[in-house]
């Protein structure tokens, strides 16, 4: 008898159930694109606390939402904002100013050094950029040491190992072969570093489709796959939909009401309407509405 | 051939033209999405003067000289310009060799000191209780470290930005000054070349590497710049006006690059 190959498909609730208080998790994508939002919203619904959230190298409003919802203890990223929607992420800014979250201050080069060291099982990656700056002062994990070859000062960027990486991609087969559309930003660096990788996809494709173009397989061997159409909403999904500008502006207005005027009600209303009230990803999509969703064209 | 200068242009268009003249043909040049003016300047250089530039546009490399006009893109994650891609850039590859991404770079800042050191971390004396938390360094530190040269670019010019001392330094300029200010720290590259603001262009005096006024934009006085700068700026005896854009540059900007008119607002 030929044994069956095991399907790795789970749903967003099973995926989020793997995230427990105090864990170190990575969240993929980049600023306004490609975040595993179905899983992120479920993490908020479950009320997970004290997370150390790693990345992306430049973080977006998905992380701002997690901070506002009280899930984050420490953040590892080199940027927090929404580009032209808001240059600085509002709830991140106030949480950092009040010392409610710890920021592991780095730039994008250092960020990847930390993941690379974790991937290679090394204590640190040496990096040159940062000598003469405030980084070693504001982030005491960064150590200045003397290069044993040339005797010059170098920065040791310590390994940061996410226990679980949560990644968004266009496609995967049921066996964990993931194919991004576009570059996937720094997603593969997270996968290489993480203990486990869960990939939320727009569409499950048959294994035969994967075999037509193995070069397109960006992550070989994800540990679990979550199918969630429109799952990066309100952020963009290369090849599927552009970001929902109106929704992002609604979020920014709600977050700014708290960050700039101290009125938390609009943000609480946002949380209630879009996250706490809908029980599943499908319920969330019903709240957004089919007209809005299909207006987000792919070209 | 004498240059035919435009007479009707905005300060943003003037700055785009200035930036266009900083690009050298054959270089790799990163085009940021968020900073509209530097983006327009780099595209202007490419379309008019530098056909062999390798443009890094939203995670791709491309060449756009045959494109009749640039479709607008506002974010570094907009995937639509990928239709132009000759190569994809995996973002984490940037750490493998930042020089493969760009030969020049544009760095924004919350604060800048007289040696061109700059700060995107935040404003305040206590890092744990900042008065104003900034967006973070993005890739500016590593890019500015490895590239051949970079340009400081800010969208306002006042004493909050131009300070005697940055509260934090996220990108090193000339360190504590002197022509060997970077070499002393073991930092390669030619550092910041110019600091570009809505009022003026500043460069760095070669011996001290202190910031020096190079030119003022039309309608701006030297006093105005000095008053709005929180450190002692070197002011040469005569300060020219920033060279205006040519008619051809303005036409190219308006018809092929800034079709939406972001630089005219």
């Amino acid at each position: 008898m030929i044994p069956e190959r095991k399907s790795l498909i789970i749903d967003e609730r099973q995926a989020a159930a793997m995230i427990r208080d105090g864990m170190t998790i990575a969240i993929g994508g980049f600023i306004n694109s490609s975040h595993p939002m179905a899983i992120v919203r479920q993490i908020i619904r479950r009320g997970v606390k004290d997370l150390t959230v790693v990345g992306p190298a430049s973080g977006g409003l998905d992380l701002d939402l997690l901070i506002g919802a009280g899930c984050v203890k420490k953040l590892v990223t080199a940027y927090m904002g929404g580009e032209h929607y808001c240059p600085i992420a509002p709830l991140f800014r106030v949480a950092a100013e009040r010392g409610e979250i710890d920021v592991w201050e780095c730039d994008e080069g250092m960020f990847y050094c930390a993941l690379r060291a974790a991937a290679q099982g090394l204590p640190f990656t040496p990096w040159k950029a940062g000598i003469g700056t405030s980084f070693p002062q504001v982030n005491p994990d960064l150590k200045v040491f003397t290069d044993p070859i040339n005797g010059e000062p170098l920065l040791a960027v310590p390994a940061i190992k996410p226990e679980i990486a949560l990644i968004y991609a266009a496609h995967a087969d049921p066996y964990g072969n993931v194919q991004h559309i576009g570059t996937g930003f720094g997603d593969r660096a997270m996968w290489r570093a993480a203990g486990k990788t869960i990939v939320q996809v727009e569409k499950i494709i048959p294994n035969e489709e994967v075999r037509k173009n193995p070069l397109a397989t960006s992550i070989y061997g994800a540990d679990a796959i979550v199918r969630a159409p429109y799952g990066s909403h309100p952020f963009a999904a290369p090849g599927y939909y552009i970001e929902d500008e109106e929704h992002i502006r609604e979020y920014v207005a709600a977050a700014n009401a708290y960050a700039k005027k101290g009125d938390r009600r609009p943000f609480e209303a946002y949380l209630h309407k879009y996250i706490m009230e809908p029980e599943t990803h499908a319920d969330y999509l019903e709240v957004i509405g089919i007209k809005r969703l299909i207006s987000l064209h792919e070209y | 051939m004498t240059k035919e200068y435009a007479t009707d242009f905005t300060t943003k268009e003037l700055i785009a033209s200035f930036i266009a003249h900083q690009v050298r043909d054959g270089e790799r040049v990163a085009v940021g999405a968020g900073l509209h003016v530097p983006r327009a300047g780099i595209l202007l250089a490419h379309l008019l003067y530098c056909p062999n530039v390798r443009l890094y546009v939203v995670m791709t490399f491309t060449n756009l000289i045959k494109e009749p006009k640039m479709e607008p893109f506002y974010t570094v994650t907009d995937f639509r310009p990928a239709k132009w891609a000759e190569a994809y850039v995996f973002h984490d590859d940037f750490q493998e060799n930042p020089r493969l991404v760009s030969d020049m770079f544009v760095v924004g800042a919350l604060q800048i000191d007289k040696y061109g050191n700059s700060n995107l971390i935040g404003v305040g004396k206590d890092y744990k209780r900042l008065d104003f938390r900034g967006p973070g360094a993005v890739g500016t530190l590593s890019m500015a470290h490895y590239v051949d040269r970079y340009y400081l670019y800010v969208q306002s010019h006042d004493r909050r930005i131009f300070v005697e001392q940055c509260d934090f330094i996220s990108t090193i300029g000339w360190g504590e000054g002197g022509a060997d200010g970077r070499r002393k720290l073991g930092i390669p590259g030619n550092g910041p070349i110019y600091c570009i603001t809505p009022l003026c262009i500043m460069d760095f005096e070669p011996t001290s590497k202190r910031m020096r006024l190079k030119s003022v934009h039309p309608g701006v006085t030297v006093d105005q710049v000095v008053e709005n700068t929180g450190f002692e700026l070197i002011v040469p005896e005569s300060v020219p006006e920033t060279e205006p854009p040519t008619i051809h540059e303005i036409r190219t900007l308006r018809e092929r690059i800034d079709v939406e008119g972001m630089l005219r607002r």
Side-chain angles (χ1 to χ4, degrees):
Chain A
M1 208 178 88
I2 300 168
E4 285 265 334
R5 198 173 178 187
K6 192 177 152 211
S7 165
L8 300 172
I9 301 170
I10 60 174
D11 68 22
E12 80 272 10
R13 285 178 292 190
Q14 291 168 300
M18 293 161 78
I19 311 299
R20 297 182 310 274
D21 291 357
M23 277 178 102
T24 297
I25 62 166
I27 299 179
F30 207 78
I31 313 183
N32 284 307
S33 185
S34 308
H35 302 303
M37 292 307 293
I39 303 173
V40 167
R41 281 185 282 263
Q42 183 61 22
I43 289 170
I44 296 173
R45 266 178 219 121
R46 291 189 51 238
V48 179
K49 297 259 174 291
D50 298 328
L51 294 174
T52 292
V53 178
V54 180
S58 276
L61 298 173
D62 55 322
L63 305 185
D64 199 56
L65 175 64
L66 275 170
I67 292 167
C71 303
V72 180
K73 183 172 153 237
K74 183 175 172 185
L75 190 62
V76 179
T77 184
Y79 169 81
M80 270 299 285
E83 295 201 72
H84 69 302
Y85 297 108
C86 60
I88 303 174
L91 302 178
F92 156 77
R93 180 175 65 75
V94 287
E97 286 169 2
R98 293 172 190 168
E100 293 164 3
I101 55 166
D102 292 326
V103 180
W104 199 84
E105 201 75 46
C106 60
D107 102 315
E108 289 174 341
M110 295 172 190
F111 175 85
Y112 288 120
C113 286
L115 288 183
R116 186 194 217 197
Q120 300 183 338
L122 293 170
F124 66 89
T125 301
W127 195 239
K128 189 85 192 178
I131 299 295
T133 71
S134 303
F135 280 96
Q137 166 208 335
V138 298
N139 182 348
D141 287 354
L142 304 168
K143 309 283 185 202
V144 179
F145 73 107
T146 303
D147 158 16
I149 308 295
N150 297 308
E152 288 184 356
L154 277 179
L155 211 56
V157 182
I160 294 183
K161 189 167 186 64
E163 290 163 80
I164 295 181
L166 303 172
I167 304 278
Y168 172 90
H171 304 146
D173 73 2
Y175 312 116
N177 294 303
V178 177
Q179 298 193 333
H180 282 78
I181 294 179
T183 66
F185 308 105
D187 287 355
R188 293 179 313 154
M190 291 180 174
W191 160 56
R192 289 190 292 259
K196 271 188 179 171
T197 296
I198 302 173
V199 182
Q200 183 201 298
V201 295
E202 207 60 39
K203 197 165 124 184
I204 307 275
I205 56 172
N207 180 252
E208 290 81 350
E209 282 297 313
V210 167
R211 290 180 187 225
K212 280 184 191 167
N213 188 6
L215 198 55
T217 302
S218 45
I219 291 176
Y220 42 94
D223 297 279
I225 302 295
V226 173
R227 174 178 171 271
Y230 285 102
S232 180
H233 184 274
F235 305 105
Y240 278 95
Y241 42 93
I242 57 171
E243 75 253 22
D244 186 340
E245 194 173 323
E246 207 177 310
H247 188 102
I248 293 175
R249 291 197 192 282
E250 184 183 338
Y251 173 82
V252 170
N256 270 337
Y258 181 55
K260 292 186 175 168
K261 296 181 202 118
D263 179 5
R264 207 177 146 85
R265 284 171 302 179
F267 179 72
E268 290 295 340
Y270 179 95
L271 274 183
H272 181 78
K273 179 177 175 188
Y274 294 113
I275 297 178
M276 304 317 285
E277 190 75 352
E279 279 181 32
T280 64
H281 178 57
D283 295 326
Y284 169 80
L285 295 182
E286 284 208 329
V287 175
I288 300 302
I290 190 76
K291 279 188 184 167
R292 173 73 71 81
L293 290 172
I294 61 175
S295 76
L296 306 172
H297 51 76
E298 61 276 30
Y299 54 88
Chain B
M1 204 176 81
T2 54
K3 282 185 181 177
E4 280 188 82
Y5 287 117
T7 49
D8 178 25
F9 52 85
T10 65
T11 301
K12 287 176 184 170
E13 289 174 325
L14 172 78
I15 293 172
S17 162
F18 181 84
I19 289 171
H21 293 279
Q22 308 312 316
V23 182
R24 298 170 199 160
D25 198 17
E27 288 187 317
R28 304 179 189 91
V29 183
V31 185
L35 297 173
H36 305 299
V37 176
R39 175 178 75 171
I42 289 163
L43 291 174
L44 183 62
H46 179 49
L47 295 185
L48 295 187
Y49 314 120
C50 306
N52 302 295
V53 147
R54 290 182 187 278
L55 281 183
Y56 173 39
V57 178
V58 292
M59 314 283 161
T60 72
F61 266 105
T62 187
N63 184 299
L64 297 175
I65 52 168
K66 290 186 176 167
E67 286 297 315
K69 67 181 169 85
M70 307 295 122
E71 286 168 36
F73 55 94
Y74 301 126
T75 71
V76 292
T77 55
D78 191 333
F79 58 87
R80 290 169 294 178
K83 67 182 172 214
W84 296 319
E86 294 177 350
Y88 280 159
V89 179
F90 297 95
H91 192 254
D92 49 306
D93 273 1
F94 138 83
Q95 174 243 20
E96 300 294 327
N97 183 353
R99 281 305 296 272
L100 289 180
V101 172
S102 199
D103 290 305
M104 62 173 272
F105 207 65
V106 178
V107 174
L110 300 169
Q111 292 179 321
I112 298 172
D113 74 14
K114 60 179 177 287
Y115 298 120
N117 303 304
S118 60
N119 172 16
L120 279 168
I121 293 173
V123 176
K125 296 298 165 207
D126 178 4
Y127 174 73
K128 292 283 179 194
R129 288 287 184 282
L130 291 168
D131 299 329
F132 184 81
R133 167 70 224 197
V138 205
T140 57
L141 165 72
S142 294
M143 288 308 296
H145 179 98
Y146 287 99
V147 290
D148 174 66
R149 63 196 187 280
Y150 71 92
Y151 301 88
L152 290 159
Y153 169 77
V154 288
Q155 298 180 66
S156 53
H157 188 138
D158 58 46
R159 286 172 169 262
R160 282 184 311 173
I161 294 178
F162 292 98
V163 292
E164 190 60 46
Q165 203 169 7
C166 294
D167 292 335
F168 305 96
I169 293 172
S170 56
T171 297
I172 200 96
W174 289 101
E176 291 176 10
D180 61 349
R182 289 174 69 84
R183 207 173 54 232
K184 266 193 298 198
L185 296 165
I187 300 172
N190 296 306
I193 302 296
Y194 295 124
C195 180
I196 302 160
T197 86
L199 298 184
C200 65
I201 309 286
M202 294 172 282
D203 63 2
F204 295 87
E205 190 279 317
T207 332
S208 65
K209 289 295 179 187
R210 266 179 55 201
M211 215 180 279
R212 175 174 73 178
L213 188 54
K214 180 183 184 298
S215 68
V216 288
H217 303 334
V220 177
T221 64
V222 170
D223 285 348
Q224 202 181 335
V225 173
V226 170
E227 273 165 32
N228 285 289
T229 304
F231 54 76
E232 199 193 329
L233 186 63
I234 300 176
V235 181
E237 261 177 46
S238 89
V239 178
E241 212 168 71
T242 309
E243 187 176 354
T246 65
I247 289 169
H248 189 40
E249 285 172 348
I250 288 296
R251 196 178 298 143
T252 307
L253 276 175
R254 292 181 185 178
E255 289 172 9
R256 294 183 66 191
I257 297 169
D258 179 38
V259 182
E260 292 219 316
M262 307 276 294
L263 271 52
R264 277 165 277 162
R265 276 171 218 159

